[in-house]
Amino acid sequence: MNERTAIKVALVEDDTSTREGLRLLIHGSPGFVCTGAYESVEEALPALARDRPDVLLMDINLPGMSGREGVRIIKDQWPTIEVLMLSVYGEQESVFESICNGAAGYLLKKTPPARLLESIQEARDGGSPMSPEIARKVVVLFRKTPRPEPQERQLTPRELQLLALLAEGHGYGEAADLLGVSENTVRNYIRSIYEKLHVHSKSEAVSKALRQGLIS
């Protein structure tokens, strides 16, 4: 693999010895090239705009802007850069926030050199490498995350009109007259509204519609 086809890797690490060790490992490994090694996200951003590495290794705890915030900005500006977070510890909150912000993977700094290089290639190829301890934390976090509520179906214009009339205090009969439909039709609308909003009473339906801004 020549330099043109080598995986381009950049580093953001504030500890000088760790940064230099990673730089030497990457630059000295066939198939990899280190495009830059930086102490902070602020220092890295202008260089990333110029060099565009394939993979960025970034410490999660950095002076100034944190790695968690940095990955969000980097992915917003350059979606093709895959970001691998590095940390001494695998704090659950940091892991979850980094992944939500766009990190491709999360590795502990004690990861053996050969596995680190494999992880860089895996991230470049679309994978999500994680240290085993981190992967377990992610599984636990997702088990604890509540399942999303069923998405509510969209109300029709007629149903919204009816809800607005009910919110103003009109009864079913008055609402039917104002809408120019039968009271039985209004009751059919009500059943549909209850089903779509997952409610069981007129007051619940009106309250939920007001909270969600469906009516004013």
Side-chain angles (χ1 to χ4, degrees), residues 71-79 101:
V71 67
R72 183 185 63 78
I73 291 173
I74 289 162
K75 292 301 290 185
D76 281 346
Q77 293 191 33
W78 306 290
N101 283 351

Side-chain angles (χ1 to χ4, degrees), residues 95-107:
V95 171
F96 191 71
E97 186 179 350
S98 299
I99 291 171
C100 287
N101 283 351
Y106 199 116
L107 302 172

Side-chain angles (χ1 to χ4, degrees), residues 142-192:
F142 277 98
R143 282 178 182 163
K144 291 179 179 178
T145 303
R147 292 185 180 182
E149 301 238 348
Q151 189 173 14
E152 288 155 5
R153 288 154 52 201
Q154 190 171 6
L155 298 179
T156 66
R158 271 300 207 194
E159 290 166 350
L160 290 171
Q161 286 179 316
L162 175 56
L163 273 174
L165 291 172
L166 296 177
E168 292 170 4
H170 297 289
Y172 291 170
E174 291 175 311
D177 291 340
L178 290 167
L179 291 174
V181 298
S182 69
E183 191 168 336
N184 191 51
T185 298
V186 165
R187 293 188 184 279
N188 288 336
Y189 288 157
I190 287 293
R191 279 194 291 271
S192 175

